[in-house]
Amino acid sequence: MPVNLRALITASTVPLLKYSIYSRSIWNVGKLLTIRSCSEMQKIMKLYLNYIKLFENNSVGRVIITPPIGIAPYVATLEHSQVLPNSILAFVKRTSYSNPLNFKLFLEDIELCMEGLRRSVGNPSLNELKRDVVFIYGPMALNELEMNYIPLIILVDLDRVASRIFQTSKTSVFNVEFEDFAILKKDNEYSILMLDRLDRGAEHTLNSNNDNTSATDPSVGGYHTYRTCSPIACIKDLDIIDESYEFKCLEELAGYLLKRGKGTHMYIEFWSSYTALLERESKGYYYLWMPHIDGNSTKRLVKFIMNGGLPTPLNKVTLVSPLRVSAELGSISDSRVWLSIIIEQIAYSNNNIIEANLIA
């Protein structure tokens, strides 16, 4: 199983876990959301299909459609709404322990995965539900996980789902649009989200069959390349949405979330949605969420706090950072991030802070 199971608890998987008999313990998350090969993807799709059946038999006032990571579980808790993932974030076991920085090995494991997917024969309704597969290459942000697993997004055909459950429901989506990454598209087979910058190793691998191109060209090494808001935090071109909330900078997202909070306890979470499980019965707390942590986002958050963006008084702060890319926890990135500077600035602005925790 992945080194840190909390990285699997995201906006797309929290609703599935809440309705699964296996989700009573965090240690069972891996059984649901990790697979030995892509031929087992039917298991994940069946979990999703069983979940959406709940919508068919119940009248739902509001449905929040969510990308793989985001704030949907938090907003749904406040508004007593239902969350519908447009995709499922899962992890496929690599053939052997691997170097996450080796892009060539990553591509080879993807091809093995796709071979297993082509050979798999399962329920036709499940096959029709799957629209696309996006693999995530993030050797810095996901370094521990990608030593043993390949993260992937299983995109769902929401048009088919909509005909079943959106007869009377009001739908909305919360998009984080200040994240912009490169996407590599391999024909109509699959895509690769480059979560980190396109490094020299990846560029060299993509150009190995064509010495006259660079990784910024529209077509490289059999892949079509383009840039867009991250598919792990953003949904585009959905006609079934009634309302769309778009956050184009970190400050907009932080301001929206803080206006909805209350109490004296603040959570600051990166990537995952673990807080939604921790605080199922909570009467209220403040919540800040960001797609991932890096030097730039940390600086902007600290500046936001310094400019009076946080509520007062607070007496407890909890940081949730399951990807373990901060300097306190060890990081292979040259641009190390110190989470302690966030806590120090909050404590400076709130003299009543008596407890600070890190969940990693």
Side-chain angles (χ1 to χ4, degrees):
M1 291 184 185
V3 175
N4 194 340
L5 293 175
R6 292 185 184 90
L8 288 172
I9 302 175
T10 62
S12 69
T13 56
V14 162
L16 306 186
L17 294 172
K18 284 184 176 180
Y19 287 91
S20 171
I21 61 173
Y22 300 106
S23 63
R24 296 172 185 172
S25 167
I26 183 176
W27 305 115
N28 288 320
V29 174
K31 295 179 181 179
L32 290 171
L33 302 173
T34 60
I35 52 181
R36 290 172 297 178
S37 70
C38 283
S39 61
E40 297 181 4
M41 199 178 292
Q42 296 280 337
K43 180 184 75 170
I44 305 292
M45 296 304 296
K46 186 175 181 180
L47 180 64
Y48 185 92
L49 185 61
N50 289 337
Y51 173 69
I52 64 174
K53 286 179 180 178
L54 296 171
F55 289 76
E56 298 176 26
N57 301 321
N58 296 281
S59 176
V60 180
R62 186 187 185 197
V63 176
I64 302 177
I65 302 174
T66 184
I69 64 174
I71 63 173
Y74 172 71
V75 176
T77 300
L78 296 178
E79 300 181 353
H80 306 289
S81 303
Q82 297 292 337
V83 177
L84 178 68
N86 84 315
S87 51
I88 309 168
L89 179 65
F91 287 78
V92 182
K93 188 77 172 67
R94 302 190 75 159
T95 53
S96 61
Y97 184 83
S98 187
N99 176 6
L101 297 173
N102 191 319
F103 188 63
K104 183 178 180 181
L105 292 178
F106 185 83
L107 291 180
E108 289 176 356
D109 282 347
I110 284 180
E111 290 301 323
L112 288 174
C113 177
M114 293 304 297
E115 286 180 14
L117 184 59
R118 297 183 196 105
R119 289 196 305 265
S120 65
V121 178
N123 188 328
S125 64
L126 296 180
N127 292 332
E128 291 175 0
L129 197 61
K130 179 177 65 65
R131 183 170 62 85
D132 199 4
V133 177
V134 179
F135 297 93
I136 305 174
Y137 182 63
M140 297 298 180
L142 303 175
N143 59 84
E144 283 190 289
L145 289 166
E146 291 199 354
M147 290 178 187
N148 293 288
Y149 291 86
I150 294 181
L152 64 84
I153 304 169
I154 308 169
L155 288 163
V156 175
D157 187 346
L158 283 185
D159 289 332
R160 292 181 179 274
V161 175
S163 62
R164 300 181 184 180
I165 65 176
F166 293 145
Q167 302 297 325
T168 59
S169 301
K170 185 178 182 180
T171 59
S172 60
V173 67
F174 291 81
N175 282 333
V176 172
E177 297 196 354
F178 53 85
E179 295 278 293
D180 180 34
F181 295 106
I183 306 292
L184 309 180
K185 182 71 175 178
K186 180 67 177 294
D187 300 324
N188 292 321
E189 291 189 81
Y190 61 85
S191 301
I192 303 175
L193 166 64
M194 308 300 289
L195 193 58
D196 301 314
R197 63 183 175 82
L198 196 61
D199 59 26
R200 293 180 181 178
E203 184 171 349
H204 174 75
T205 300
L206 290 171
N207 291 330
S208 60
N209 296 324
N210 190 341
D211 295 333
N212 297 319
T213 61
S214 70
T216 56
D217 289 337
S219 182
V220 180
Y223 293 88
H224 174 72
T225 67
Y226 61 97
R227 300 192 69 88
T228 184
C229 67
S230 171
I232 60 173
C234 185
I235 300 175
K236 287 293 189 182
D237 303 323
L238 271 183
D239 295 331
I240 56 178
I241 296 175
D242 297 314
E243 294 179 328
S244 180
Y245 298 83
E246 299 176 353
F247 305 102
K248 298 184 181 297
C249 66
L250 183 150
E251 291 80 3
E252 283 185 9
L253 178 60
Y256 172 85
L257 289 171
L258 291 178
K259 287 180 181 178
R260 310 208 64 166
K262 61 180 180 180
T264 58
H265 185 184
M266 167 170 283
Y267 284 92
I268 303 176
E269 184 160 18
F270 307 95
W271 174 270
S272 65
S273 292
Y274 187 55
T275 301
L277 293 183
L278 280 177
E279 295 290 348
R280 288 183 181 182
E281 307 300 328
S282 174
K283 295 181 179 179
Y285 55 92
Y286 285 96
Y287 187 61
L288 284 178
W289 182 90
M290 281 180 277
H292 66 282
I293 186 168
D294 56 25
N296 180 58
S297 63
T298 302
K299 290 176 183 177
R300 296 188 68 171
L301 180 58
V302 169
K303 186 176 180 180
F304 178 81
I305 296 170
M306 291 175 63
N307 291 336
L310 290 188
T312 54
L314 299 171
N315 59 33
K316 184 178 180 181
V317 179
T318 300
L319 284 171
V320 183
S321 182
L323 297 183
R324 298 183 180 179
V325 293
S326 67
E328 286 93 345
L329 299 171
S331 170
I332 65 171
S333 172
D334 293 334
S335 179
R336 293 179 178 247
V337 176
W338 290 91
L339 295 176
S340 56
I341 65 172
I342 299 175
I343 294 294
E344 289 172 0
Q345 189 56 51
I346 294 175
Y348 179 80
S349 305
N350 289 264
N351 296 326
N352 296 322
I353 296 291
I354 59 175
E355 184 179 350
N357 299 316
L358 172 62
I359 299 176

